[in-house]
Amino acid sequence: MAGGICAHKVAMGLKGIGYDVHVVCLRRKGETREDTYEGIYVHRINNPLVYKIRDWSSEIKSSILSKGVYNLAIFLNRLLKIIFIGWYPLMSPLQIRSYVSCAKKIEADAVVAEYFSLESMLAGDILHNKHGKKVVYYNVDSLSNIDEVAGISLRFARKKGERWEKKLYRNADGVVVMKCHENHYKSLFPDEEKIVISDLPLLEPVSDSIKHEKSNTYKWVYTGTLKEGYRSPRLLIETFKCLDADSELHFFSKGDCESYISDEAKKNNRIIQHGHVPRNDLDRFYKDADVLVSIGNNKGTFLPSKTIEYISQRKPIIHFCYQEKDASLPYLKEYGHSLIIDVNNGNAKEWTKKILDFL
């Protein structure tokens, strides 16, 4: 997932300038407690129960049973939110304890605590206060600059996130926040010099140049999370079905749109559903793709890490844009080998002509 990819890039960057790097992360089924990966020492702690149930759901062959187990994970996740509502978005104190117990045994000078869950940041705070480690927060996400939260008031979630950030940031040795959140944090911490603006560390070209032969057959690939009301695939699919060319649209996705994609795939054999696929397994599909398809968020200022990952593949990109402040637009326009479909202007047939001209 995006958080893991970013953490690995940071770890490899530190290793590349001469540091010994240890990563403390969650342990999934079949993984060892201790390991090395590309010269990095890996220490794994127990996965929270909710994550175990969620992972188990993906292994069940029966779609009905798999969906039931997945819904159980969602229910438990929301129940934990209610139980720990006063400390939102904290959900697993045991996870903090496991992080600290593992990390304090490592003879480290500094801790980089990535925010992809609050638990890792709180573990960093404890290691800083009680064990004398320097701590830097590396935030690929934001606690306070958020746009939606399932089942919880957005105002409440933002207020809680802001409270945590003020407590943790002022006690840290350094904080790295993403470019798309720059204005937000400048207004929240106008005099805080320890906050550094960076960007997603994913731009690593994997091929020498864009090579493509003119054809009537194209393999389209979409990867990432899809959500109704936030990042829906409906207009993409509607547009794709208008194409006369014998092309294929492959979805490597997760979220609440999977049943819709499944229904469309049953009606049209040019739409292929793969479900959620581990990042390492995507490389061969990226290599075979003629076009990468991107769907912008319909609200908020988040830059999807997928945008940078797509650009690193050096493939043509078709981006469905839902708002003027879409954070992906500056990157895609500078990249150049991209087509921006403004869904607020025109219709599927008009967009089809633009797509064919672009290809």
Side-chain angles (χ1 to χ4, degrees):
M1 296 178 69
I5 298 168
C6 289
H8 183 61
K9 295 294 183 184
V10 173
M12 292 300 290
L14 290 170
K15 178 179 176 292
I17 55 176
Y19 289 100
D20 286 331
V21 183
H22 295 253
V23 172
V24 181
C25 60
L26 300 179
R27 180 189 182 205
R28 290 190 163 179
K29 185 178 179 181
E31 293 179 331
T32 58
R33 290 279 182 187
E34 305 285 333
D35 199 359
T36 56
Y37 180 71
E38 297 188 354
I40 292 169
Y41 304 100
V42 182
H43 312 263
R44 297 187 179 93
I45 64 172
N46 287 334
N47 225 347
L49 179 62
V50 171
Y51 295 171
K52 288 181 180 179
I53 295 174
R54 185 191 63 189
D55 291 348
W56 179 39
S57 71
S58 65
E59 299 174 6
I60 300 173
K61 293 182 179 180
S62 168
S63 59
I64 296 175
L65 184 57
S66 175
K67 188 174 182 179
V69 173
Y70 181 80
N71 287 337
L72 174 61
I74 297 298
F75 170 77
L76 290 175
N77 184 64
R78 292 176 179 173
L79 179 62
L80 288 170
K81 283 182 180 179
I82 294 171
I83 293 172
F84 295 105
I85 193 69
W87 299 272
Y88 179 86
L90 173 68
M91 289 197 300
S92 178
L94 289 176
Q95 188 178 336
I96 300 171
R97 183 179 176 182
S98 296
Y99 273 137
V100 172
S101 177
C102 181
K104 71 181 183 181
K105 298 174 184 177
I106 302 167
E107 293 183 5
D109 300 300
V111 174
V112 179
E114 181 188 29
Y115 172 59
F116 205 65
S117 72
L118 177 61
E119 284 77 359
S120 62
M121 294 178 74
L122 291 176
D125 190 55
I126 293 171
L127 289 164
H128 176 71
N129 293 331
K130 293 187 177 181
H131 301 281
K133 309 288 188 184
K134 290 184 178 180
V135 64
V136 175
Y137 296 122
Y138 189 95
N139 298 344
V140 297
D141 222 325
S142 172
L143 278 163
S144 58
N145 192 28
I146 53 179
D147 299 304
E148 67 168 2
V149 183
I152 290 179
S153 160
L154 181 58
R155 182 180 178 185
F156 172 84
R158 284 177 174 172
K159 187 176 180 180
K160 283 289 186 181
E162 185 176 319
R163 189 175 297 172
W164 277 119
E165 285 174 338
K166 286 180 176 178
K167 175 184 182 298
L168 294 168
Y169 288 7
R170 285 175 177 151
N171 193 38
D173 295 290
V175 180
V176 182
V177 299
M178 296 299 100
K179 181 74 175 174
C180 58
H181 300 298
E182 180 176 7
N183 293 334
H184 172 74
Y185 285 109
K186 280 185 176 179
S187 63
L188 197 60
F189 300 97
D191 303 316
E192 190 59 81
E193 296 181 356
K194 68 180 68 171
I195 295 179
V196 176
I197 307 300
S198 184
D199 222 330
L200 297 172
L202 296 178
L203 191 56
E204 184 177 291
V206 294
S207 60
D208 294 330
S209 62
I210 294 175
K211 297 176 182 178
H212 191 71
E213 296 179 2
K214 192 171 182 178
S215 170
N216 289 323
T217 302
Y218 297 99
K219 183 175 287 187
W220 297 30
V221 167
Y222 174 87
T223 70
T225 301
L226 293 168
K227 290 184 179 180
E228 289 288 2
Y230 190 71
R231 192 188 296 151
S232 170
R234 291 180 184 272
L235 289 180
L236 161 60
I237 289 178
E238 181 184 339
T239 305
F240 178 79
K241 290 193 295 186
C242 291
L243 289 171
D244 293 328
D246 186 24
S247 299
E248 296 177 346
L249 173 56
H250 294 257
F251 282 98
F252 299 87
S253 57
K254 64 177 182 177
D256 61 9
C257 299
E258 292 305 293
S259 58
Y260 166 71
I261 296 172
S262 177
D263 291 340
E264 290 296 324
K266 290 174 183 176
K267 293 184 285 186
N268 188 326
N269 61 10
R270 294 191 297 131
I271 299 172
I272 298 97
Q273 182 182 34
H274 300 267
H276 184 222
V277 176
R279 173 62 183 83
N280 291 346
D281 294 345
L282 279 176
D283 288 339
R284 63 188 178 94
F285 294 105
Y286 274 140
K287 185 177 180 180
D288 292 340
D290 297 301
V291 186
L292 302 178
V293 188
S294 173
I295 302 174
N297 300 336
N298 66 6
K299 54 187 174 183
T301 58
F302 278 78
L303 172 68
S305 58
K306 176 170 69 271
T307 299
I308 308 301
E309 188 174 330
Y310 272 15
I311 290 172
S312 76
Q313 302 298 321
R314 297 194 177 190
K315 301 269 186 175
I317 299 171
I318 298 174
H319 180 73
F320 285 75
C321 174
Y322 284 78
Q323 56 166 330
E324 289 183 4
K325 59 181 181 180
D326 186 330
S328 296
L329 292 183
Y331 297 86
L332 293 173
K333 287 177 180 178
E334 188 170 337
Y335 174 57
H337 301 279
S338 57
L339 173 67
I340 310 298
I341 301 293
D342 182 355
V343 302
N344 298 304
N345 291 296
N347 55 53
K349 288 187 177 180
E350 294 173 10
W351 303 333
T352 299
K353 185 179 184 306
K354 290 182 179 179
I355 289 169
L356 291 175
D357 289 345
F358 170 70
L359 296 177

